[in-house]
């Protein structure tokens, strides 16, 4: 075999040739970008997800694939600003690529969020209205937003972004776009008629079991919220809640498509918070771990048997919270009318706060956003700050603010302003009658939860919704469902099913609907007392199926809870492997249905290893909760 020998001269020659080749390649790439092109591609770090940006028929478009399977077919992009279409394009201009690879702490389905993506900021060349498109591809979805270099005043009247969906895709959606308490239903994409509404997230089941996706938005700040309007042709178009008014340059919120092979990927997706701003280090020096931001469990009288909002009854509820070991008592609408002789509502509330503090319980109070029943709301900066200041002086821990019923720009701006002002007074927040979460709980960790869900304040049946919500509404953030009831809202589900919702539904303020006395009198009490309000890790088990079965394994510290919800009218038998556990022995406690009996449970204790599995029988509309604690190696 011949050998090639290099001399210093030949080595220098080859280095020079290599340099010239690389320089030529770089020059050609730069030249092509300078000239512009019709197409560019952004791929996820693992290469499985791709978003293709193109110019077709002089319009900006995008398409998304997962493992080469279409998720979003070619769809138009853009905004209507001052009556002009930003999205008409001649070509793609220069593009600046970037990579994000970081983690941050958060209160949600897990304690550490992963923000890892490949991004590209693309100049869109247009003879009419140029813009910059910011695109990101994550290992579990894509996101994009529009940046408009506007001068002067602007009115954004429409978002013309389309989401064209492959034939054969099933869609889970609900139609309430005011306060997002609609019932999620499954429908094939072809069955949607033009004009039908969907309040995000809309969850997609791809044809032939190719995976899942969910359409929503994130980083919504001082902008009209986005819902979806069916095109009648296998797709949706973004639908803004009224006009958005801006002055100067502005960015749109992020349009997000979460994507994954399984439900576990969707549930653990962090894109909604990834595209949202990090918390202000002055207001939240330790982020979501800032000491006054304290997740916890709360008693609540609104759905209780003894629901009267009187000072004496609220003291009684604080007694019950203390007996349960709960951190909070939430006082709902009615306290604003308190008066006892010379004592006004504030003096009486101070009495309750001080009384509760001696029991180790803190108080949350309800407040309406608008003026209501002769009582001023907090819908102006002056009224809001005066109210917050008074709550802080009394020692109130948090506020439940209600009756927004819209996601118009002024409401979205209020969330930001209220959360900022509340943080200055070290007050936590829970929004009701509200729109979907869009990442506020990252930017403002004092937002522990919000409603925007068909919870226990609505009517039964519960089972179908309870096995749908974890894979739809709860994909966007915590939800104040107010789980558990053993009284007149028991519905058709079993006691064990009710308790399991406390594990499956994420809400760092875990406000329970049940009369606290009914919990103290129930054999489920011990398990309920041990379920934490936040989680370090969540795994959706593979048997889960939207609309039929939800199986969650959730860890807090070294303790695991496994919960199951049966959403069908048939009993189910399951075999649950414990492979998610570290090797070793565990103490197992199981709370489960008594066969064919709705209002009773069986509680069993045993020892088990991570190599074993657990067999569970659930009644129709039944459930179970398992607790697993390490018991040695």
């Amino acid at each position: 075999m011949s050998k090639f020998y290099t001399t210093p001269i030949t080595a220098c020659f080859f280095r020079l040739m290599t340099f010239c080749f690389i320089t030529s390649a770089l020059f050609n790439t730069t030249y092509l970008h300078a000239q512009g092109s019709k197409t560019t591609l952004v791929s996820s770090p693992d290469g499985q997800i791709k978003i293709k940006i193109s110019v077709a028929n002089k319009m900006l478009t995008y398409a998304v694939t997962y493992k080469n399977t279409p998720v979003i077919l070619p769809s138009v992009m853009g905004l209507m600003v001052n009556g002009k279409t930003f999205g008409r394009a001649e070509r793609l201009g220069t593009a600046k690529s970037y990579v994000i690879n970081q983690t941050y702490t958060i209160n949600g389905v897990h304690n550490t969020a992963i923000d890892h993506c490949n991004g590209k900021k693309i100049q869109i060349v247009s003879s009419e209205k140029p813009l910059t498109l910011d695109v990101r591809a994550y290992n579990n979805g894509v996101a994009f937003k529009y940046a408009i270099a506007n001068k002067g005043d602007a009115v954004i009247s429409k978002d013309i972004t389309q989401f064209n969906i492959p034939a054969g895709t099933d869609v889970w959606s609900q139609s309430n776009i005011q306060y997002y308490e609609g019932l999620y239903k499954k429908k094939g994409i072809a069955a949607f008629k033009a004009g039908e509404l969907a309040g995000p997230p809309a969850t997609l089941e791809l044809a032939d079991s190719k995976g899942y996706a969910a359409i929503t938005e994130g980083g919504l700040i001082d902008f009209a919220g986005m819902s979806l309007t069916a095109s009648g042709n296998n797709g949706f178009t973004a639908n803004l809640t009224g006009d958005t008014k801006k002055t100067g340059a502005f960015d749109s919120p992020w349009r997000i498509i979460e994507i994954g092979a399984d439900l576990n990927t969707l549930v653990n997706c962090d894109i909604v918070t990834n595209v949202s701003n990090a918390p202000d280090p002055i207001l939240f020096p330790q982020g979501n771990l800032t000491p006054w931001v304290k997740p916890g469990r709360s008693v609540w009288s609104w759905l209780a048997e003894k629901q009267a909002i009187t000072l004496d009854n609220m003291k009684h509820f604080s007694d019950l919270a203390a007996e349960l070991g709960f951190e909070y008592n939430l006082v709902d609408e009615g306290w604003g009318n308190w008066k006892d002789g010379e004592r006004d509502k504030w003096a009486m509330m101070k009495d309750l706060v001080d009384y509760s503090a001696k029991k180790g319980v803190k108080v949350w109070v309800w407040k309406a956003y608008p003026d209501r029943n002769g009582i001023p709301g907090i819908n102006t900066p002056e009224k809001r700050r005066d109210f917050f200041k008074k709550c802080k002086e009394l020692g109130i821990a948090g506020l439940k603010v209600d009756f927004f019923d819209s996601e118009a720009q002024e409401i979205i701006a209020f969330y930001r302003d209220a959360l900022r002002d509340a943080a200055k007074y070290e007050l936590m927040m829970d929004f009701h009658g509200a729109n979907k979460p869009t990442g506020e709980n990252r930017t403002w960790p004092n937002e522990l939860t919000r409603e925007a869900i068909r919870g226990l304040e609505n009517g039964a049946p519960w089972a179908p919704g309870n096995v749908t919500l974890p894979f739809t509404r709860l994909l966007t953030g915590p939800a104040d469902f107010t789980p558990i009831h053993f009284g007149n809202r028991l519905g058709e589900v079993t006691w064990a099913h009710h308790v399991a919702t406390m594990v499956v539904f994420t809400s760092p303020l875990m406000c329970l609907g049940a009369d606290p006395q009914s919990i103290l009198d129930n054999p489920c009490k011990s398990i309920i007392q041990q379920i934490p309000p936040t989680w370090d890790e969540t795994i959706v088990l593979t048997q889960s199926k939207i609309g039929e079965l939800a199986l969650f394994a959730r860890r807090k510290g070294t303790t695991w809870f496994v919960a199951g919800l049966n959403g069908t009218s048939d009993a189910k038998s399951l075999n649950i492997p414990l492979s998610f556990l570290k090797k070793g022995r565990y103490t197992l406690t199981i709370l489960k249905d008594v066969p064919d009996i709705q209002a009773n449970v069986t509680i069993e204790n045993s020892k088990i290893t991570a190599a074993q599995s657990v067999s569970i029988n659930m009644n129709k509309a039944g459930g179970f909760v398992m607790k697993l604690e390490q018991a040695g190696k």
Side-chain angles (χ1 to χ4, degrees):
M1 181 180 292
S2 63
K3 297 181 180 179
F4 182 80
Y5 294 94
T6 61
T7 66
I9 294 176
T10 56
C12 181
F13 173 76
F14 278 104
R15 284 196 296 270
L16 178 62
M17 291 297 292
T18 302
F19 171 78
C20 290
F21 176 79
I22 294 173
T23 303
S24 175
L26 290 173
F27 173 79
N28 287 335
T29 301
T30 304
Y31 177 77
L32 286 171
H33 283 175
Q35 289 295 303
S37 64
K38 296 287 187 179
T39 300
T40 192
L41 194 70
V42 183
S43 299
S44 59
D46 65 5
Q48 299 296 312
I49 293 174
K50 294 179 172 62
I51 178 168
K52 180 181 180 181
I53 307 300
S54 304
V55 174
N57 298 319
K58 294 193 175 183
M59 286 298 298
L60 186 63
T61 68
Y62 76 105
V64 182
T65 59
Y66 171 59
K67 294 182 178 179
N68 298 319
T69 295
V71 177
I72 301 293
L73 299 174
S75 302
V76 165
M77 312 174 86
L79 298 173
M80 292 289 292
V81 183
N82 291 337
K84 304 292 185 181
T85 303
F86 284 75
R88 295 191 185 278
E90 304 297 326
R91 65 184 186 277
L92 305 180
T94 56
K96 181 180 179 181
S97 297
Y98 62 92
V99 175
I100 298 174
N101 192 0
Q102 64 178 353
T103 60
Y104 54 90
T105 60
I106 197 161
N107 293 323
V109 296
H110 38 236
N111 63 359
T112 303
I114 298 172
D115 185 4
H116 187 199
C117 70
N118 291 324
K120 191 175 285 188
K121 294 183 179 180
I122 309 160
Q123 301 297 319
I124 309 303
V125 179
S126 172
S127 59
E128 298 181 19
K129 296 295 177 182
L131 60 86
T132 300
L133 180 67
D134 195 347
V135 183
R136 296 180 183 178
Y138 297 81
N139 290 341
N140 49 18
V142 300
F144 56 86
K145 70 174 180 176
Y146 310 110
I148 309 292
N150 178 65
K151 294 181 180 179
D153 294 336
V155 176
I156 301 94
S157 56
K158 288 184 180 180
D159 184 332
I160 62 173
T161 306
Q162 297 176 348
F163 303 88
N164 293 326
I165 296 169
T169 301
D170 287 326
V171 181
W172 291 87
S173 66
Q174 62 86 32
S175 60
N176 186 321
I177 64 170
Q178 293 178 294
Y179 47 91
Y180 281 73
E181 292 183 34
L183 182 65
Y184 272 89
K185 297 179 181 179
K186 179 181 179 179
K187 184 158 55 172
I189 185 59
F192 279 86
K193 297 178 181 178
E196 284 192 64
L197 296 173
T203 299
L204 315 180
E205 289 188 83
L206 303 180
D208 302 320
S209 302
K210 291 293 182 67
Y212 300 87
I215 301 170
T216 191
E217 66 177 329
L220 177 60
I221 304 171
D222 191 23
F223 209 96
M226 181 194 79
S227 57
L228 302 171
T229 302
S231 65
N233 189 26
N234 286 15
F236 295 101
T237 300
N239 177 49
L240 298 181
T241 304
D243 291 343
T244 293
K245 296 179 180 180
K246 293 286 188 179
T247 300
F250 65 89
D251 289 1
S252 75
W254 292 84
R255 280 57 186 110
I256 296 170
I257 302 112
E258 301 180 356
I259 304 168
D262 51 36
L263 295 172
N264 183 58
T265 303
L266 286 193
V267 168
N268 281 284
C269 181
D270 295 310
I271 297 178
V272 172
T273 50
N274 288 346
V275 300
S276 301
N277 294 332
D280 183 334
I282 295 175
L283 292 174
F284 303 97
Q286 295 171 251
N288 68 303
L289 302 178
T290 298
W292 60 268
V293 177
K294 294 182 178 179
R297 301 150 301 169
S298 182
V299 298
W300 181 49
S301 71
W302 196 255
L303 302 181
E305 302 301 322
K306 297 180 179 179
Q307 61 180 198
I309 311 294
T310 64
L311 177 57
D312 286 344
N313 198 40
M314 291 302 94
K315 285 183 176 181
H316 176 58
F317 268 69
S318 288
D319 291 339
L320 297 174
E323 192 171 349
L324 284 166
F326 286 8
E327 294 81 4
Y328 300 117
N329 175 13
L330 196 159
V331 181
D332 215 284
E333 183 175 18
W335 74 273
N337 294 313
W338 284 358
K339 187 170 179 58
D340 181 17
E342 297 297 319
R343 293 200 304 168
D344 65 6
K345 62 184 178 183
W346 292 114
M348 295 175 72
M349 180 57 70
K350 177 64 174 173
D351 185 356
L352 174 64
V353 169
D354 291 346
Y355 177 88
S356 303
K358 294 175 183 178
K359 304 280 183 174
V361 174
K362 293 188 176 182
V363 173
W364 284 63
V365 297
W366 179 96
K367 183 64 178 174
Y369 164 74
D371 297 346
R372 179 174 166 83
N373 296 331
I375 298 175
I378 54 172
N379 49 0
T380 70
E382 296 76 21
K383 290 192 290 186
R384 178 177 71 241
R385 290 167 189 154
D386 287 347
F387 184 80
F388 288 3
K389 182 174 183 290
K390 193 69 176 179
C391 288
K392 172 64 176 177
E393 290 171 350
L394 264 62
I396 288 167
L399 309 177
K400 174 181 174 180
V401 184
D402 204 348
F403 290 115
F404 298 98
D405 301 337
S406 171
E407 53 183 350
Q409 181 185 14
E410 66 181 80
I411 300 297
I412 303 305
F414 173 86
Y415 293 141
R416 176 200 60 193
D417 297 341
L419 286 163
R420 180 187 59 234
D421 289 347
K424 292 177 181 178
Y425 292 105
E426 298 186 352
L427 294 168
M428 294 173 284
M429 301 291 278
D430 170 12
F431 296 118
H432 266 234
N435 71 315
K436 62 191 176 297
T438 60
E440 293 86 354
N441 61 316
R442 182 189 182 193
T443 307
W444 309 101
N446 57 328
E447 180 180 320
L448 293 194
T449 192
R450 67 169 59 194
E451 193 178 26
I453 192 169
R454 187 177 177 83
L456 276 191
E457 288 188 64
N458 292 277
W462 305 122
N466 290 352
V467 292
T468 302
L469 292 169
F471 313 116
T472 51
R473 159 61 180 87
L474 281 151
L475 298 180
T476 58
D480 192 11
F481 183 90
T482 63
I484 302 184
H485 212 282
F486 300 123
N488 57 10
R489 290 178 185 264
L490 180 63
E492 85 289 12
V493 302
T494 65
W495 280 0
H497 183 113
H498 270 283
V499 177
T501 61
M502 188 177 173
V503 177
V504 173
F505 296 164
T506 301
S507 186
L509 174 66
M510 182 54 73
C511 181
L512 298 189
D515 189 312
Q517 187 62 56
S518 74
I519 299 174
L520 289 165
D521 295 340
N522 194 285
C524 301
K525 178 189 73 171
S526 177
I527 288 290
I528 291 171
Q529 289 174 306
Q530 296 174 70
I531 297 171
T534 61
W535 303 98
D536 298 337
E537 182 180 358
T538 295
I539 299 171
V540 180
L541 303 185
T542 56
Q543 299 102 313
S544 296
K545 185 174 177 58
I546 306 178
E548 294 185 16
L549 180 66
L551 290 175
F552 276 53
R554 313 195 84 165
R555 179 179 61 82
K556 184 69 172 181
T558 60
T559 300
W560 284 87
F561 286 82
V562 182
L565 298 170
N566 181 6
T568 74
S569 57
D570 297 317
K572 286 187 179 291
S573 296
L574 300 173
N575 187 60
I576 301 174
L578 302 179
S579 55
F580 54 86
L581 297 174
K582 291 183 178 180
K583 291 182 179 180
R585 291 179 57 78
Y586 290 80
T587 298
L588 170 65
T589 301
I590 304 178
L591 181 150
K592 60 184 181 179
D593 298 325
V594 174
D596 301 319
I597 298 177
Q598 181 188 20
N600 204 349
V601 293
T602 295
I603 300 175
E604 300 174 352
N605 296 284
S606 62
K607 300 290 186 181
I608 199 167
T609 70
Q612 294 176 268
S613 60
V614 179
S615 295
I616 294 282
N617 294 318
M618 289 192 288
N619 290 352
K620 64 179 183 179
F624 72 88
V625 175
M626 299 193 306
K627 180 187 176 188
L628 294 137
E629 293 183 287
Q630 286 185 324
K633 296 181 179 180

